Amino acid sequence: MHEVKTPLTNVLIVGVGGQGTLLASRVLAQAAVAGGFDVKVSEIHGMAQRGGSVVTEVRFGSKVYSPLIQIGQADYILAFEKLEALRWLPYLKSGGGLIVNDQSIDPLPVLTGTAKYPADISQKIQAVVEKSIIVDAARIASELGNVKATNIVLLGILAGFLDLPLTVWDKALEKAVPTKVLALNRDAFQQGLALVKK
């Protein structure tokens, strides 16, 4: 009997320190493991505590040999901030999906006045990426009662595109999120999912 090979799924999660990108990558990795896949994760922190870039690569499939995603190989980019979405766009494969939190956080060069935050990022993204969703996930999370659940709203949107059963996502949330905020995070996930699964 031949082992069925599933193609690799490459997800790049990008954001700014303090946005919950690492928790999101943990939930995604645990959901993929619970779904029976081999999973590799790589994290890059750039002054994560001070609003620097935080990038996580999550790859899953029958067998994953390297955690690294090359330029033009990401099936999906989950961007917690608009400038980070633009910065990592070269990693998205042709026909890949881009999910962006409609939020602007000024990087250090903008704060110090040596650079300007680029205008029209959303339009630039939509002009080059056919499968792009730009959503105010922070507003959705705030309306649920906690802006920190923004990351889980975005994961819910991503779940709408991935071939992972909802039960594995719920197990992953149970493992990764404290019990006192589990119900809120479940709601956040469902809200994100509902934006895709209409």
Side-chain angles (χ1 to χ4, degrees), residues 139-185:
R139 180 189 55 78
I140 294 169
S142 294
E143 286 172 0
L144 288 171
N146 192 340
V147 74
K148 285 185 173 177
T150 299
N151 55 355
I152 307 300
V153 174
L154 292 167
L155 266 186
I157 297 170
L158 178 67
F161 295 103
L162 297 179
D163 196 17
L164 290 170
L166 291 182
T167 49
V168 302
W169 287 102
D170 199 56
K171 278 183 196 155
L173 279 174
E174 269 184 21
K175 271 189 174 176
V177 172
T179 310
K180 63 180 181 188
V181 289
L182 181 57
L184 174 109
N185 280 276

Side-chain angles (χ1 to χ4, degrees), residues 10-165:
N10 298 318
V11 181
L12 193 65
I13 300 176
V14 301
V16 169
Q19 284 193 296
T21 52
L22 301 180
L23 176 66
S25 64
R26 274 200 300 275
V27 173
L28 171 57
Q30 285 176 355
V33 167
F37 292 105
D38 185 27
V39 181
K40 295 277 186 297
V41 179
S42 167
E43 293 174 2
I44 304 162
H45 306 257
M47 293 201 330
Q49 302 307 312
R50 299 189 192 168
S53 286
V54 181
V55 182
T56 313
E57 296 155 285
V58 181
R59 306 182 77 210
F60 61 93
S62 304
K63 188 69 191 150
V64 184
Y65 293 99
S66 165
L68 302 179
I69 299 170
Q70 304 301 319
I71 287 175
Q73 278 193 352
D75 296 290
Y76 297 96
I77 295 179
L78 194 58
F80 286 45
E81 195 273 344
K82 289 192 292 190
L83 186 56
E84 292 298 317
L86 198 60
R87 186 183 312 201
W88 291 93
L89 208 49
Y91 280 78
L92 190 65
K93 68 159 49 164
S94 175
L98 178 64
I99 299 160
V100 185
N101 180 30
D102 193 5
Q103 185 176 10
S104 306
I105 297 173
D106 289 343
L108 205 55
V110 173
L111 293 172
T112 58
T114 57
K116 278 192 164 54
Y117 195 96
D120 308 327
I121 289 181
S122 298
Q123 290 87 332
K124 286 174 185 167
I125 287 168
Q126 287 169 327
V128 292
V129 183
E130 195 180 322
K131 278 171 59 179
S132 59
I133 293 178
I134 300 171
V135 62
D136 192 346
R139 180 189 55 78
I140 294 169
S142 294
E143 286 172 0
L144 288 171
N146 192 340
V147 74
K148 285 185 173 177
T150 299
N151 55 355
I152 307 300
V153 174
L154 292 167
L155 266 186
I157 297 170
L158 178 67
F161 295 103
L162 297 179
D163 196 17
L164 290 170

